[in-house]
Amino acid sequence: MLLLALDTATPAVTVALHDGSAVIARSSQVDARRHGELLLPAVDRVMKESGRALGEVTGIVVGVGPGPYTGLRVGLVTAATFASALGGVPVHGVCTLDGLAYASGIEEPFVVATDARRKEVYWARYEDARTRVGGPAVDRPAEIAEAVAGLPAVGAGARLYGEVFPDARDPEHQSAAALASLAAERLAAGEPFEEPQPMYLRRPDAQVPKNYKVVTPR
């Protein structure tokens, strides 16, 4: 087994390679505006660091969000392109929030919250680091304050809204290393994956104008 994992659903552009036993190479950069520019060089670095060839990859793991429209699509399109180029290897979708939960290692009820912009968070509830019990959803922090009261929280959204998530813990950013490790566990256990389709939860920020200004020749 050789899994190439990547996620661009958050400001972190993150890539990792997992050989079925452990992560053997990883790369992460936090830059919300340069997903498309940074992702392929990160894949190249990871492959060189591992000493493995891209043709040895047996599966792609990709974070499916929730996340902003543009960044999320970069990772999903790249995953599909690699899978096709490698002869149709499987693409395993994993909820981005599940990766953050897994990386936390928390073994009590907690929340994962990422920044959804528009003064909102993408969030989900977990029984432990491997078990999601609610969500994902997108809401304004004040609207979920009662639902998350008293629970530890991880993710950039928890750091951003400390008044709602006073017990904010690491990690703040997504890690493809955690995503790959979680996927390897799920594969070994025969557990299902998400479809490798974008999990938006709301419409894109950019909208096509409904009314165009009519320009008439003089």
Side-chain angles (χ1 to χ4, degrees), residues 7 15 28 41 68 97 102 105 109 120 186 193 199 215:
D7 197 325
V15 178
S28 291
L97 304 186
Y102 183 85
E120 295 178 329
R186 288 180 175 175
F193 287 87
M199 189 182 294
V215 179

Side-chain angles (χ1 to χ4, degrees), residues 114-193:
T114 60
D115 182 15
R117 306 174 185 172
R118 301 185 193 178
K119 299 182 179 180
E120 295 178 329
V121 292
Y122 295 118
W123 69 287
R125 290 180 60 119
Y126 291 81
E127 185 64 27
D128 54 49
R130 292 172 174 80
T131 311
R132 176 159 36 103
V133 293
V138 59
D139 291 287
R140 289 183 177 270
E143 296 171 345
I144 62 171
E146 185 175 344
V148 302
L151 295 176
V154 303
R159 299 293 181 90
L160 193 58
Y161 299 101
E163 69 280 8
V164 175
F165 305 102
D167 187 6
R169 304 183 186 180
D170 290 334
E172 180 178 357
H173 296 293
Q174 174 68 311
S175 162
L179 203 70
S181 296
L182 176 58
E185 285 192 9
R186 288 180 175 175
L187 279 169
E191 296 176 3
F193 287 87

Side-chain angles (χ1 to χ4, degrees), residues 18 23 58-59 77-78 80 86 119 129 146 154 159 171 175 179 192 201 210 213-214 217:
H18 196 291
V23 173
T58 59
V77 169
T78 300
L86 293 170
K119 299 182 179 180
E146 185 175 344
V154 303
R159 299 293 181 90
S175 162
L179 203 70
L201 302 188
K210 294 181 180 179
K213 182 179 179 180
V214 178

Side-chain angles (χ1 to χ4, degrees), residues 11-213:
V13 179
T14 180
V15 178
L17 200 64
H18 196 291
D19 67 359
S21 299
V23 173
I24 58 176
R26 68 188 76 194
S27 172
S28 291
Q29 295 171 272
V30 178
D31 191 328
R33 297 176 179 271
R34 300 171 64 210
H35 293 91
E37 181 180 344
L38 296 175
L39 182 57
L40 290 180
V43 172
D44 187 53
R45 280 195 305 276
V46 164
M47 298 310 302
K48 287 180 178 177
E49 179 184 334
S50 70
R52 307 291 289 270
L54 191 59
E56 297 179 65
V57 170
T58 59
I60 310 292
V61 179
V62 63
V64 299
Y69 183 86
T70 304
L72 178 54
R73 285 192 64 83
V74 169
L76 285 161
V77 169
T78 300
T81 302
F82 273 129
S84 177
L86 293 170
V89 300
V91 180
H92 308 292
V94 179
C95 175
T96 294
L97 304 186
D98 289 359
L100 282 156
Y102 183 85
S104 76
I106 297 174
E107 295 301 326
E108 61 180 304
F110 69 104
V111 177
V112 174
T114 60
D115 182 15
R117 306 174 185 172
R118 301 185 193 178
K119 299 182 179 180
E120 295 178 329
V121 292
Y122 295 118
W123 69 287
R125 290 180 60 119
Y126 291 81
E127 185 64 27
D128 54 49
R130 292 172 174 80
T131 311
R132 176 159 36 103
V133 293
V138 59
D139 291 287
R140 289 183 177 270
E143 296 171 345
I144 62 171
E146 185 175 344
V148 302
L151 295 176
V154 303
R159 299 293 181 90
L160 193 58
Y161 299 101
E163 69 280 8
V164 175
F165 305 102
D167 187 6
R169 304 183 186 180
D170 290 334
E172 180 178 357
H173 296 293
Q174 174 68 311
S175 162
L179 203 70
S181 296
L182 176 58
E185 285 192 9
R186 288 180 175 175
L187 279 169
E191 296 176 3
F193 287 87
E194 305 280 355
E195 288 295 319
Q197 299 295 326
M199 189 182 294
Y200 292 131
L201 302 188
R202 69 182 185 201
R203 293 180 179 178
D205 291 335
Q207 299 289 332
V208 176
K210 294 181 180 179
N211 298 306
Y212 291 92
K213 182 179 179 180

